[in-house]
Amino acid sequence: MIDQDFGFRTEDWEAATVKAVLFDLDGTFADTAPDLAAALNQVRFTRNLTPLPLEVLRPQASHGSAGLLKVGMNVTPDSPDFIELRDIFLNHYANNICVHTALFEGMSDLINELELRSLPWGIVTNKPHIYTLPLMQALGYADRAACLISGDTCSNAKPHPDPMNKACEIINIAPENCLYLGDDVRDMQAANAVNMRGVIARYGYISADAKLENWAAHAMIDTPLELLKLIPL
Ligand SMILES: O=C(O)COP(=O)(O)O
């Protein structure tokens, strides 16, 4: 049976125990798009191009510097000036990592509730650790997270299962007892690869043409607090 509101399989759910929650960072835990867009627009500024609106850049914000440079500068890692443009982007981002970035509305209440229930939570992101750590510190959540797994913590990043396994190893909880909230298909692929239940954050950086029904997710939610409906007391 599929739950009409959330699309999860009720019989799976009834048999499951959630002991921890893991989050993707960009577009799931925090709304990083404004600062990522500012970094991209700084690149455009250096090339005498007008800024692009946030709405154009937002759907790419889960795809890191390469995704933003593709849509904002029409370059790929093979382009001759890619490295130079990426360095301008990353330099600006590193120096302005938490100017406009904030947790999505309801996320701090969700984290408070998880902690109240003694459920450990952590981050599994593809963001390199030199950005993940200062961002989580600036947001005030670095010390509260049970794990911070970045794109370069393991030799492989999502959708490879390594980061998910690493998170489970650190928090000492089996993947099948974790929920993973993310806003990209690779998040669901990584979760599924370790038998963890992936939940789509529909409020995240999802393109209008994304076929979420093909992402093989356990559930979809429209606000962070809806996740609590998947974690009965
Ligand atoms: O910076 C990236 O590559 C994306 O990061 P995410 O995995 O938190 O969406």
Side-chain angles (χ1 to χ4, degrees):
M1 180 170 75
I2 301 289
D3 181 281
Q4 288 307 307
D5 290 335
F6 301 107
F8 63 80
R9 288 185 293 280
T10 309
E11 66 272 25
D12 291 355
W13 172 244
E14 279 164 3
T17 314
V18 176
K19 296 183 180 167
V21 179
L22 299 169
F23 298 91
D24 167 62
L25 179 51
D26 296 86
T28 300
F29 185 77
D31 189 8
T32 53
D35 286 330
L36 289 162
L40 190 278
N41 280 327
Q42 175 65 21
V43 176
R44 286 179 64 85
F45 177 76
T46 65
R47 296 299 183 266
N48 296 317
L49 296 168
T50 53
L52 288 175
L54 180 58
E55 307 83 78
V56 172
L57 300 174
R58 193 178 189 273
Q60 289 304 318
S62 280
H63 298 142
S65 55
L68 284 156
L69 286 166
K70 170 95 180 62
V71 74
M73 296 299 296
N74 198 24
V75 289
T76 63
D78 301 333
S79 308
D81 49 352
F82 180 81
I83 301 283
E84 191 187 336
L85 297 177
R86 192 195 56 189
D87 286 351
I88 298 170
F89 176 95
L90 292 178
N91 190 41
H92 187 277
Y93 188 57
N95 290 316
N96 301 274
I97 200 157
C98 199
V99 178
H100 304 292
T101 294
L103 266 59
F104 281 99
E105 196 181 338
M107 185 55 82
S108 68
D109 293 333
L110 171 62
I111 298 298
N112 289 342
E113 180 62 23
L114 295 178
E115 291 176 349
L116 208 61
R117 297 188 192 184
S118 299
L119 291 173
W121 65 272
I123 298 287
V124 183
T125 175
N126 273 4
K127 223 175 179 62
H129 205 63
I130 52 163
Y131 308 109
T132 307
L133 184 59
L135 177 55
M136 290 298 288
Q137 284 170 334
L139 291 169
Y141 284 82
D143 294 337
R144 290 169 65 174
C147 66
L148 287 182
I149 308 297
S150 302
D152 50 0
T153 302
C154 305
S155 21
N156 301 293
K158 298 174 292 180
H160 199 279
D162 280 0
M164 317 308 288
N165 282 326
K166 184 75 183 170
C168 291
E169 186 189 312
I170 292 175
I171 65 177
N172 198 23
I173 292 176
E176 48 272 27
N177 294 119
C178 299
L179 291 180
Y180 183 55
L181 184 64
D183 70 331
D184 195 279
V185 65
R186 68 167 180 238
D187 298 329
M188 301 305 117
Q189 290 165 339
N192 284 331
V194 297
N195 200 25
M196 188 183 289
R197 280 160 293 157
V199 179
I200 301 174
R202 230 169 1 198
Y203 57 84
Y205 306 148
I206 296 175
S207 327
D209 60 354
K211 303 259 182 296
L212 302 189
E213 63 279 12
N214 296 337
W215 288 13
H218 173 73
M220 305 184 199
I221 58 173
D222 289 316
T223 67
L225 281 169
E226 278 182 23
L227 197 74
L228 292 174
K229 299 194 181 179
L230 303 175
I231 313 173
L233 283 168

